[in-house]
Amino acid sequence: MSSSVVQNPTPRAGSTPSLAPHEILRAVEDELAATPFIDVHTHLFMPSLGTLGLWGIDELITYHYLEAELFRSSDLKPEQYFRLSKREKADAIWRALFVDNAPVSEAARGVIAVLDAFGLPTGGSDLEKARAFFTAQEPGAHIRRVFQLAKVSEVVMTNDPLDPDEAPLWERGAEPDPQFHPVLRLDRILNKWPEHWSVLASKGYAVNETATGKSAAEVRRFLADWNKRMQPVYMAVSLPDTFQFPEDSVRARLLAEAVVPSCREFGIPLSLMIGVRYQVNPALRLAGDGAGKADLRAVERLCTTYPENRFLISVLSRENQHELCVYARKFNNLMPFGCWWFLNNPSVVEEMTRERLEMLGMSFIPQHSDARVLEQVIYKWRNTRRTMAPILANTYRLLTEDGRPVTRADIRHDVTRLFRGNFERFAGWREAQHGRVGAA
Ligand code: RAT
Ligand code: ZN
């Protein structure tokens, strides 16, 4: 099998009747609704990782996307806000963004869609009914119901081996869950080495502050140990808009000498999420990051230097999207994925998705949820399906007009490929139509 594997997940079914132009949109909507998606990047946690997993109304309302919006519609200062309890924070956001104003932003409307999905009041002056509802849920059954409502079969987590709360849970042997796939996240190692090298040293890896000498080999040993422990479906890092490769830096050295060879050894992709301007307003904490245009020549160099590696790439700047499609046309070891963070708004998703379809056909991964709070998958995937349906329908309408009618089997094949097959194959999973059947 080639390293890129961006081919068709299933042969197209033979003879189903061609659709008339007026039948296409409905058929696309039905197929999007009937296909369980794989959510390829979230910040959700499997139940055995305990309290790391966020869920419920107070977490939904204090999502950092909404915290950023709070300070535009309230006089509350960040330092006052961050002194409040979780419940008080949620009450402040509810009042400012949902009671005093109509919740029209993407993130605010998402909370409304979640409340509505559970039959909870969407226009109340307080959150008491919602709090009572979520408190009454049994976690396992609630997760299953949420996944059903979101129509996702499984989600991919973000797991940090240097997080002091998370790492001990893995070290004690966290029980795997087939609905939650691990990802080895490397931000602390690749972006914050000076603050974190001593954690590796304290665990018995012979690394030093300048990441010289045996350090890269020892990071590789660390990654091998965590690969064994966690069985990640890929390794991942978020990167600044200033990211360069190659360059004379700890990050570039550890990427070249530890991370890239480890991914090759374990047969898994490396996900690079590029374009964050970290902490442009630190007072906003998690909500304080911005976005910047990156130099994607770094991606070009990675793809050419390491043709045996596979790179999942998401870029945060709208201005980088076209360039990323061009690179994907050059390198089939590059898989563009998702409309990340500030791009996850219908207007931008539409623009990016049309561009990707026009330039790449069905050989990309249109979206991930980036959910941090369990129930967010309900609204994020609902929005994706709603935005995707007319875009795909229009693509098929043009094809029909140009002389190649489409069938329901065509549509099913493509939807499955976009929202399951491209990831399954790029991640090196065995041929699987409905879920992971094991690593290749
Ligand atoms: O979208 C987000 O929630 C961001 O804060 C980031 O977590 C980003 O998605 C990331 O994975 O770094
Ligand atoms: Zn994320």
Side-chain angles (χ1 to χ4, degrees):
M1 194 155 72
S2 88
S3 64
S4 59
V5 277
V6 196
Q7 315 105 359
N8 299 336
T10 47
R12 293 196 300 110
S15 53
T16 57
S18 302
L19 295 167
H22 72 275
E23 296 172 320
I24 293 175
L25 177 60
R26 182 63 196 272
V28 171
E29 286 169 345
D30 288 351
E31 292 304 326
L32 284 167
T35 307
F37 293 176
I38 299 175
D39 194 339
V40 306
H41 169 59
T42 75
H43 299 264
L44 303 180
F45 291 94
M46 60 190 182
S48 60
L49 294 175
T51 53
L52 294 178
L54 304 180
W55 58 285
I57 191 65
D58 290 322
E59 300 294 352
L60 284 165
I61 301 219
T62 55
Y63 186 31
H64 71 87
Y65 291 24
L66 289 170
E67 290 181 328
E69 292 173 31
L70 167 70
F71 303 113
R72 305 198 52 77
S73 294
S74 155
D75 292 333
L76 205 59
K77 301 265 178 297
E79 49 285 14
Q80 297 169 317
Y81 171 81
F82 286 112
R83 277 200 296 269
L84 301 176
S85 68
K86 172 76 40 103
R87 202 185 166 95
E88 290 168 335
K89 286 177 181 155
D91 286 338
I93 294 180
W94 181 255
R95 174 140 301 280
L97 300 183
F98 294 81
V99 178
D100 295 346
N101 294 283
V104 296
S105 77
E106 180 70 5
R109 193 162 46 75
V111 175
I112 297 299
V114 171
L115 291 171
D116 194 53
F118 290 114
L120 292 165
T122 55
S125 59
D126 66 43
L127 294 167
E128 294 321 311
K129 276 213 173 93
R131 283 184 177 127
F133 169 81
F134 285 107
T135 310
Q137 301 310 306
E138 187 280 309
H142 186 56
I143 291 174
R144 283 193 297 280
R145 183 173 177 198
V146 167
F147 278 33
Q148 266 166 17
L149 285 167
K151 303 186 181 89
V152 293
S153 61
E154 59 224 278
V155 304
V156 175
M157 302 182 280
T158 298
N159 305 101
D160 183 345
L162 292 184
D163 181 312
D165 295 323
E166 182 170 2
L169 300 171
W170 288 102
E171 282 158 355
R172 286 202 290 271
E175 196 193 331
D177 183 317
Q179 291 181 108
F180 292 82
H181 300 288
V183 156
L184 195 46
R185 178 82 173 220
L186 305 174
D187 288 35
R188 287 183 209 227
I189 293 176
L190 292 174
N191 295 337
K192 294 182 176 171
W193 181 258
E195 293 97 308
H196 296 287
W197 70 272
S198 58
V199 181
L200 267 79
S202 72
K203 290 178 189 269
Y205 299 93
V207 295
N208 64 28
E209 191 170 1
T210 48
T212 48
K214 284 164 74 180
S215 293
E218 285 292 277
V219 169
R220 206 166 158 183
R221 186 165 69 85
F222 173 84
L223 296 176
D225 290 344
W226 275 90
N227 182 65
K228 199 162 161 208
R229 180 176 290 131
M230 201 185 255
Q231 300 276 301
V233 291
Y234 58 81
M235 295 192 203
V237 61
S238 87
L239 293 162
D241 57 333
T242 53
F243 173 60
Q244 289 294 341
F245 187 89
E247 67 172 4
D248 183 15
S249 67
V250 168
R251 179 197 289 128
R253 190 159 62 249
L254 292 180
L255 258 179
E257 294 173 24
V259 176
V260 167
S262 295
C263 285
R264 219 166 36 235
E265 180 183 346
F266 305 128
I268 55 178
L270 174 61
S271 166
L272 305 177
M273 304 178 77
I274 310 169
V276 187
R277 295 204 57 233
Y278 296 105
Q279 294 295 284
V280 295
N281 185 354
L284 302 191
R285 301 192 186 177
L286 200 50
D289 293 343
K293 186 173 185 303
D295 178 0
L296 295 194
R297 273 168 242 224
V299 172
E300 173 186 332
R301 290 186 199 113
L302 281 163
C303 290
T304 40
T305 314
Y306 306 109
E308 299 303 322
N309 279 80
R310 285 163 273 147
F311 300 96
L312 284 157
I313 308 280
S314 212
V315 284
L316 194 50
S317 164
R318 180 182 170 203
E319 288 68 27
N320 277 137
Q321 301 307 326
H322 182 260
E323 237 179 309
L324 182 65
C325 289
V326 176
Y327 278 125
R329 292 176 64 90
K330 308 300 126 188
F331 303 110
N332 73 355
N333 59 339
L334 187 172
M335 176 64 83
F337 78 97
C339 303
W340 177 25
W341 200 344
F342 309 112
L343 304 165
N344 192 358
N345 304 304
S347 60
V348 183
V349 172
E350 182 181 342
E351 170 186 289
M352 283 173 60
T353 307
R354 289 181 59 182
E355 190 169 69
R356 287 169 169 181
L357 282 168
E358 286 160 2
M359 295 180 75
L360 304 174
M362 301 289 168
S363 69
F364 66 100
I365 298 170
Q367 190 55 301
H368 64 270
S369 78
D370 234 313
R372 277 176 187 266
V373 183
L374 176 68
E375 299 85 357
Q376 287 173 340
V377 291
I378 298 172
Y379 87 81
K380 293 193 182 229
W381 285 114
R382 172 191 160 104
N383 289 356
T384 295
R385 286 186 169 88
R386 185 160 55 190
T387 308
M388 279 303 288
I391 299 171
L392 278 178
N394 192 48
T395 303
Y396 293 128
R397 189 184 52 76
L398 293 174
L399 183 60
T400 305
E401 278 173 19
D402 285 343
R404 161 62 159 84
V406 293
T407 65
R408 214 185 242 261
D410 288 322
I411 298 173
R412 182 167 306 161
H413 164 91
D414 290 345
V415 169
T416 305
R417 180 174 177 193
L418 289 170
F419 290 101
R420 299 191 64 85
N422 284 339
F423 180 74
E424 289 174 332
R425 285 165 179 276
F426 204 74
W429 295 3
R430 257 194 256 130
E431 181 74 31
Q433 201 39 35
H434 297 292
R436 188 184 187 197
V437 295

